[in-house]
Structures are given as structure tokens and as C-alpha cells.
Amino acid sequence: QVQLVESGGGLVQAGGSLRLSCAGSGRTSSRYAVGWFRQAPRKEREFVAAISWSGGSTDYADAVKGRFTVSRDNAKNNVDLQMNSLKPEDTAVYYCAAGATMSRYRYPYWGQGTQVTVSS
């Protein structure tokens, strides 16, 4: 079993930055790929970014490419999502998820989410 806890959300003005963290615990949590997803009000959850367990591979949704960066520190069981040049449309609850394979779709383990609000 893997437990995930997101932190770092908050309120920021458009053009600003936030850094989200996903702390993993449990058996071999550092050996999992991690994905970031978000869900805005009245919208379906969507893929944001993902990173392989080694950190050697990353993937980004077109909407965030060039603005968001995903990284990880396996010694600390932590995965970060650096979000720059934020836009009001980035407002959502952000979730991290972990699984054996880096994917844009399915992960067995999910955190509870952290709210990101970008004001115009």
C-alpha cells in the first residue's frame, strides 16, 4: 500500500508560481511512477504531468508544457510540480497518483488533492 499527501496549493495571481509536493509513504513508494492530475469545477479530471520512478522520463499535457516542471527526490520519497506563469484556467484541485507504470490515465494510488486558485 502507498499513501500520498499533496501540499503547496494556495491562491496566486496570474503570472505567478507555485510548487506542489507529493509525499509518498509505504512500502517501496519511491519505486513508483507518479502522475499529476487536476480537476476544475464542473470538469472531468485531466492529466497534467508524469515522471518515471527513476526520474529519467517525463510527460506533460500540452496545456502546461513549458510552464510546469515535474521532478522527484527518491531519497525523500517526494515528487514536486513546479508551476510557473500560472493562468486562471489552471485553477483546480491538483492530485498526485502513483503506479508501476508512467501513464496519462490509470494509477492505483491517489492523494486527497490540494487546491490551486489563480486569480486574474
Side-chain angles (χ1 to χ4, degrees):
Q1 190 73 11
V2 175
Q3 294 80 41
L4 303 171
V5 178
E6 304 93 338
S7 62
L11 173 64
V12 64
Q13 289 188 334
S17 298
L18 280 176
R19 189 176 184 91
L20 305 184
S21 289
C22 175
S25 62
R27 187 176 180 183
T28 64
S29 59
S30 64
R31 301 289 290 187
Y32 286 92
V34 172
W36 283 95
F37 295 77
R38 66 187 182 186
Q39 187 166 18
R42 299 175 298 280
K43 292 188 177 181
E44 292 189 354
R45 187 176 295 181
E46 65 175 358
F47 169 77
V48 174
I51 188 167
S52 63
W53 73 265
S54 69
S57 295
T58 57
D59 186 22
Y60 297 93
D62 288 345
V64 306
K65 197 171 295 183
R67 299 189 296 123
F68 291 12
T69 303
V70 60
S71 62
R72 69 188 300 157
D73 183 343
N74 285 343
K76 298 181 179 179
N77 281 352
N78 199 75
V79 175
D80 288 345
L81 183 68
Q82 177 67 42
M83 306 187 296
N84 298 328
S85 302
L86 283 162
K87 305 175 181 179
E89 52 263 45
D90 294 318
T91 295
V93 177
Y94 283 71
Y95 301 87
C96 65
T101 304
M102 189 174 77
S103 169
R104 290 191 170 201
Y105 305 103
R106 294 187 176 184
Y107 290 86
Y109 306 110
W110 290 80
Q112 293 301 305
T114 185
Q115 176 71 46
V116 171
T117 303
V118 184
S119 63
S120 57

